[in-house]
Amino acid sequence: MRYKLDETRKTGRRTRTSHAQVVDELGKAIVAGTYPVGSILPGDTELAQRFKVSRTVLRETMKTLAAKGMVVAKARVGTRVTEKNLWNMFDSEIIAWHFDNGVTEEFLLQLYDIRLAFEPFAAGLVAERANADEIEMLRALALEMAAAGHTADSLALADLRFHLAIAEASHNPFMRTLGSLIEAALVGMFRMSTPPTENGFANIADTHMRIVDAIVSGDNAAARRAMEDVILDGRIHVHEAFAARGSEAVTGSISGAILPL
């Protein structure tokens, strides 16, 4: 999912291979519970007829889903859907499939829990490791959030770019792998939003600039606190937004949910 919010609308509707299409359809169906945990997926003959693909494509599809932890194949039994605790929830497609089927408040708050576990530490690393160019970029991205005329979509993309830049500037490749999770959390929050001038996001540039100021000072602890404050604000907004909408699930595709600037 990472960077797809930028890419999807630049390239138009993504063309996908037969393999990717079948992975997408079966993945969505598993997440939706069409094929519940413990069930056996239809056999190759049935799936080949349904998707109009070869057995080779189906074998590659099952390998892909198995690599995500969603299925396991057993001889003379078939391909079984695994328990959800075995799924790779950091996988961008699995996160996207949850949005396709409608994510709950619990799901989004869990994303924020993980952000709280990692992003403040990443901000602290940036305070210690960022070079002048990276700091200048972070400052520009924070200022971008203060630009006039933002919609909820464009503001979400500006926010996403800032947080991905933090992950990059941490110079830790493990932090960079969190991009899909950050994207999903931000999309979920802003998708529930009214225009930013009406919903408490008016100070978003200021709160992100506090992170930059701490980084400029080389203050690890202050950078961590500032990032934590930003994430907690988002978490509170998710809770309040769900309360206002009566806990209605958030639905819709992640990729292409936000218009690029």
Side-chain angles (χ1 to χ4, degrees):
M1 187 190 315
R2 194 173 184 188
Y3 304 120
K4 285 183 182 176
L5 298 185
D6 285 298
E7 293 173 353
T8 301
R9 293 187 186 270
K10 290 178 183 176
T11 59
R13 185 176 179 84
R14 286 178 294 161
T15 58
R16 293 184 297 177
T17 64
S18 296
H19 165 259
Q21 290 175 346
V22 180
V23 168
D24 190 56
E25 290 299 320
L26 286 178
K28 287 178 184 177
I30 291 171
V31 171
T34 304
Y35 301 117
V37 168
S39 66
I40 303 298
L41 294 181
D44 286 356
T45 300
E46 180 179 340
L47 291 176
Q49 291 176 346
R50 181 186 306 178
F51 294 110
K52 311 300 182 188
V53 296
S54 67
R55 290 177 180 269
T56 299
V57 169
L58 288 176
R59 282 195 295 272
E60 291 304 312
T61 295
M62 296 308 167
K63 287 180 182 178
T64 299
L65 293 174
K68 297 176 185 295
M70 301 181 77
V71 301
V72 60
K74 291 189 176 182
R76 295 185 296 279
V77 174
T79 302
R80 180 176 57 82
V81 178
T82 60
E83 297 289 337
K84 289 186 177 181
N85 62 357
L86 298 177
W87 299 2
N88 177 12
M89 294 304 296
F90 286 90
D91 184 278
S92 61
E93 288 187 302
I94 292 180
I95 294 174
W97 293 331
H98 277 80
F99 271 83
D100 289 333
N101 287 291
V103 293
T104 62
E105 177 182 6
E106 180 184 23
F107 183 87
L108 280 179
L109 292 182
Q110 287 169 344
L111 289 176
Y112 276 85
D113 288 343
I114 298 300
R115 291 187 67 195
L116 278 171
F118 288 97
E119 286 192 78
F121 190 81
L125 292 180
V126 176
E128 297 175 355
R129 301 174 179 179
N131 58 44
D133 289 341
E134 289 167 334
I135 290 173
E136 188 58 33
M137 176 178 287
L138 289 170
R139 186 182 299 280
L141 291 171
L143 289 172
E144 184 180 334
M145 297 181 206
H150 269 306
T151 63
D153 284 353
S154 65
L155 186 58
L157 183 56
D159 197 357
L160 172 63
R161 288 173 174 167
F162 180 91
H163 287 276
L164 293 179
I166 287 285
E168 292 288 343
S170 72
H171 296 277
N172 184 319
F174 293 100
M175 293 296 180
R176 296 169 187 159
T177 64
L178 296 175
S180 296
L181 185 150
I182 296 169
E183 180 179 343
L186 291 175
V187 169
M189 178 179 70
F190 282 96
R191 182 173 283 161
M192 296 184 291
S193 306
T194 54
T197 55
E198 301 174 13
N199 66 7
F201 290 135
N203 68 337
I204 191 170
D206 293 337
T207 58
H208 285 70
M209 191 58 74
R210 291 189 196 111
I211 300 173
V212 177
D213 290 341
I215 289 170
V216 170
S217 300
D219 191 332
N220 180 305
R224 293 175 68 163
R225 286 194 301 271
M227 177 63 80
E228 185 174 292
D229 288 343
V230 164
I231 297 171
L232 286 173
D233 281 347
R235 197 178 193 282
I236 290 170
H237 181 77
V238 167
H239 178 70
E240 292 176 344
F242 267 100
R245 61 192 284 155
S247 298
E248 177 188 350
V250 178
T251 60
S253 174
I254 282 284
S255 57
I258 297 175
L259 292 168
L261 300 176

